[in-house]
Amino acid sequence: MALQKAKATKATKTKSKIKKRMVMAPLMMLIPWFLGMAFFRVYPIFLSFWYSLTNFPLLGERTFIGLDNFRQIFLNDTTFHASAIATLRYVFFGTPMVLAAALFIAFVLNFKLKGVNIFRTAYYVPSILGGNVAVSILWVQMFRNNGLINSAINNFNNATPEFANIPIVFWLTSETWAPFTLMLLSAWQFGSVMLIFLAALQNVSPSLYEAASIDGAKGWRQFRSITLPIITPVVLFNAVNVLLRHFQEFNSAFLVTSGGPNQSTLFFSLYIYDMAFQRLQMGYASALTWISLAAIGVFTLILFFSSKYWVHYND
Amino acid sequence: MKKLTLFLIATMLFLAACTTADTPIATTPAGGGTTATAPADTAGTGDVVDTGGHPILDAGNITLSFSWWGNDARADAMEASFRLFESYYPNVTIVSNTGPWDGWQQAILVNLSAGTEADILQVNYPWVHNFGQGSNVFLDLDTVSHILDLSEWSEEMLNFMRTADGQLSAVPHGMNGHFLMYNRAAINELGLDRFPETLEEFIEFGRELAADNVALDFAGENRYLAFIAAEVLDNILHNIIFNATGNTFFVGNELGFTFEDAVNAYELFVTMWEYNLIPTIQQDEGIPIQHNPAWLDGRALSAFIWVSTFFVVEDGYEGGPGTVDDLYVAVWPGPAGTPGVVLQRPTMGHAISANTQHPEAAAYFLNWFYTNEDAISAIGSVLGLPGANTASIVAEREGLISGNTLVGAEMLQNVRSGPIHHFFEDENFRQPRHIIMEQLALGIITATEAAQLLLDSQNEQLANIANN
């Protein structure tokens, strides 16, 4: 009896050891990630908050100044106001542009066309290229005053004076057009958003379309009343992703327009970079970063809260 | 037991790694009594070369890192000089840390923040004053003046590199200034036989040249300009103010001009835009002069450029209708009765990191770099006009500087001049000026409003500096 009890105790202990190991092993393997996350993400985030409360000339002495940076930004900094307008304009107009372009192309590529996979790949390529230097240089060459687009317009005007006189546009050097040109660049890189939409569209049950056809609904009506409501969770997902990307846009403004003309493309990220690495005011730049983070948080929350009015879940 | 063994092995490996690191250099001052290094066979022929071994460099193997920015031509010259030094001092290795100018400031800032900067740094003039106010970043070169011969430079030149507390944070390589480079083809286009001599003439010549500018809503192919490149408008503003007041933009810690001076300067820009003498902000796409079709095709009367970049602009001009001989160097003209002016600042400098393990070896290298004739010849003109005495003499004797650059170099010595204050290139001052110029060019503000904004923004930064 005692022997049996001892055996049972031993078995329980072994089981518990195995269980412990099963829990501990993955945790141990995750430690490098946790350490990386803690040191390279969480720590700098909190450190930047501390910096935002200081006067910190890069490489110089830090002095605690409380909320002075924030006060200065909101009350006196006209460049911040220009940057906020540029960023919000880019987010509010650019985000729907990307979503609309991606959804439209995904919708077209969802049809059973010959060689559709080639088209899907072709449309995804700009996203692989990303907002890198080469793409930006290409964009500059296309949209500069004497670039491809204006030359084409000019040639068209010269060739067909009786039909049209399309005005030449300062795509990159006009306050009105430069932000729009950068939105176009962003919309052109819709590949990953399009793929997600495509996956969602392919999950819509064909039986719903069949039923709608029987009821006499076609084309646009089917899209509006069946497709769109069903994929709204994916629209929300993509909207949040694109919104975040647009709030943090840096490359295009830095490489294509340098934030100009007259600060019309001086997005938050570019202004933060300028403050930190050109004007060497790391404390001020940190405060701007936290304001940017707060703005992203607020607009993401608004999207989430608004979703109960327009996102439809199956459950 | 197993754990203990592993721990002991790890500790032994760690200690072994520590002891095989480079032997730190002895801090024996120049002329100290250590044994001279063995002569090196630099040519590989078996001939013994006298290295002129120096006690500072004889204490063991030393690796000095040198960070610099530049193009391929500079890379070849710099590497040649490093290898030359290594052939003189075989126990020293010079490691290059290099890249193009774009993004270089950020790279250096990151290095300095992390304490991973090179021992010797090529520095831009404003860095000396802006990077942590210089003092806690770069070594005070006065502390190594027994090795680095500071009499090579004039006091005036060294003062550019002294921070507010008097520390000498770098030595200047040479001086630089903006000149007008006139284009004879454009002058011929006007049927004139001479270049403008006063500001009024310059404007008049530009007006005649631009009289037929018609397609200004599009960067048309028939557009003629008085000068090009929006990026230099700020420097031209400085020149105009200097001509009007006799003061540089900043005098000490104050502005060197009044509200009226600023209004007059901005009105001149408005006139130049109105008469199509210069491209508007919308028309100017910031194309570098050496690639700008208006310059290459001979459709611009002049370009306003640093003397250190003459060779770049001349290289580009080879593609145009004229030749380099058609280019003519002149100073920015003053109003009638006032001589033209060239405002000057150091092209660049060389500093030693405050954190270097080898301050004396680094100082010795810098001294060699600026005084050894072979080193000076190897560098040639890739760093701009040399300003150190020995380097200037060797450059002149060996013909290292020639053509328009030589003309510019001589003018730098002889024409009316003023110093460019380091505040002028500080981005905290420059960015507001850039925005004001853009708004003026776009017609958003008037010259009077621009002048008021200029005074407000510059005085605000001056107050910030005073408060800190």
Side-chain angles (χ1 to χ4, degrees), chain B residues 259 262 266 436-437 440 445-455:
Chain B
F259 172 72
Y266 280 131
I436 292 165
M437 191 65 88
L440 183 71
I445 53 174
T446 64
T448 311
E449 289 165 336
Q452 192 56 55
L453 285 171
L454 179 72
L455 262 70

Side-chain angles (χ1 to χ4, degrees), chain B residues 66-413:
Chain B
F66 191 134
S67 75
W68 54 275
W69 72 87
N71 56 13
D72 290 347
R74 187 175 289 176
D76 292 342
M78 295 293 277
E79 288 301 329
S81 77
F82 297 161
R83 300 295 85 81
L84 190 65
F85 187 80
E86 288 168 352
S87 71
Y88 276 46
Y89 305 100
N91 59 324
V92 181
T93 306
I94 311 282
V95 179
S96 255
N97 173 14
T98 183
W101 169 250
D102 285 342
W104 191 246
Q105 175 170 316
Q106 291 69 48
I108 292 297
L109 279 169
V110 171
N111 285 343
L112 287 167
S113 303
T116 56
E117 73 275 18
D119 298 298
I120 305 166
L121 302 100
Q122 179 180 309
V123 291
N124 195 19
Y125 165 49
W127 296 2
V128 170
H129 304 274
N130 298 347
F131 286 11
Q133 280 75 51
S135 304
N136 55 354
V137 175
F138 304 117
L139 183 76
D140 185 354
L141 297 183
D142 280 325
T143 63
V144 286
S145 60
H146 54 292
I147 299 167
L148 176 59
D149 182 5
L150 297 177
S151 68
E152 283 284 330
W153 294 269
S154 67
E155 232 1 87
E156 196 184 0
M157 284 178 78
L158 290 178
N159 282 342
F160 276 102
M161 298 304 196
R162 286 196 190 278
T163 53
D165 57 2
Q167 168 172 319
L168 181 64
S169 292
V171 284
H173 180 268
M175 298 305 287
N176 208 355
H178 265 107
F179 287 88
L180 280 169
M181 190 176 260
Y182 283 113
N183 168 1
R184 206 179 297 271
I187 289 286
N188 290 340
E189 195 81 26
L190 289 173
L192 297 168
D193 57 357
R194 65 187 178 84
F195 295 96
E197 285 170 10
T198 64
L199 187 60
E200 291 80 1
E201 255 185 6
F202 178 75
I203 301 289
E204 195 49 43
F205 280 27
R207 269 181 75 174
E208 283 187 44
L209 197 67
D212 294 328
N213 281 353
V214 283
L216 281 177
D217 57 336
F218 181 41
E221 288 171 5
N222 298 318
R223 191 155 52 94
Y224 285 83
L225 303 162
F227 63 84
I228 49 178
E231 65 198 28
V232 296
L233 295 183
D234 198 39
N235 297 84
I236 288 174
L237 174 71
H238 196 178
N239 279 39
I240 293 169
I241 281 176
F242 187 83
N243 273 335
T245 63
N247 287 334
T248 52
F249 207 88
F250 297 99
V251 178
N253 286 352
E254 289 178 5
L255 291 177
F257 58 93
T258 62
F259 172 72
E260 285 74 26
D261 298 326
V263 174
N264 292 338
Y266 280 131
E267 278 177 348
L268 188 63
F269 282 103
V270 173
T271 305
M272 289 196 279
W273 281 310
E274 273 177 7
Y275 289 123
N276 304 323
L277 299 188
I278 54 174
T280 63
I281 296 291
Q282 287 189 334
Q283 290 157 353
D284 197 309
E285 298 170 290
I287 303 170
I289 295 170
Q290 63 270 26
H291 303 307
N292 194 315
W295 175 252
L296 295 176
D297 299 347
R299 287 181 286 112
L301 178 64
S302 67
F304 193 57
I305 47 181
W306 291 110
V307 64
S308 62
T309 59
F310 275 11
F311 72 98
V312 180
V313 174
E314 288 172 346
D315 283 353
Y317 195 69
E318 285 171 12
T323 66
V324 174
D325 294 336
D326 290 326
L327 301 175
Y328 173 80
V329 179
V331 298
W332 178 261
T338 309
V341 63
V342 179
L343 298 169
Q344 301 188 21
R345 48 90 106 189
T347 314
M348 64 176 70
H350 288 107
I352 297 174
S353 161
N355 301 317
T356 181
Q357 298 297 306
H358 310 298
E360 298 199 324
Y364 189 83
F365 172 82
L366 273 186
N367 195 62
W368 176 89
F369 189 75
Y370 279 108
T371 57
N372 182 281
E373 295 202 10
D374 293 335
I376 295 164
S377 296
I379 290 298
S381 61
V382 296
L383 292 176
L385 307 170
N389 290 334
T390 309
S392 302
I393 293 164
V394 173
E396 193 179 340
R397 194 184 64 214
E398 303 289 325
L400 300 176
I401 310 290
S402 59
N404 286 319
T405 306
L406 184 61
V407 174
E410 284 166 358
M411 284 176 139
L412 268 180
Q413 313 274 336

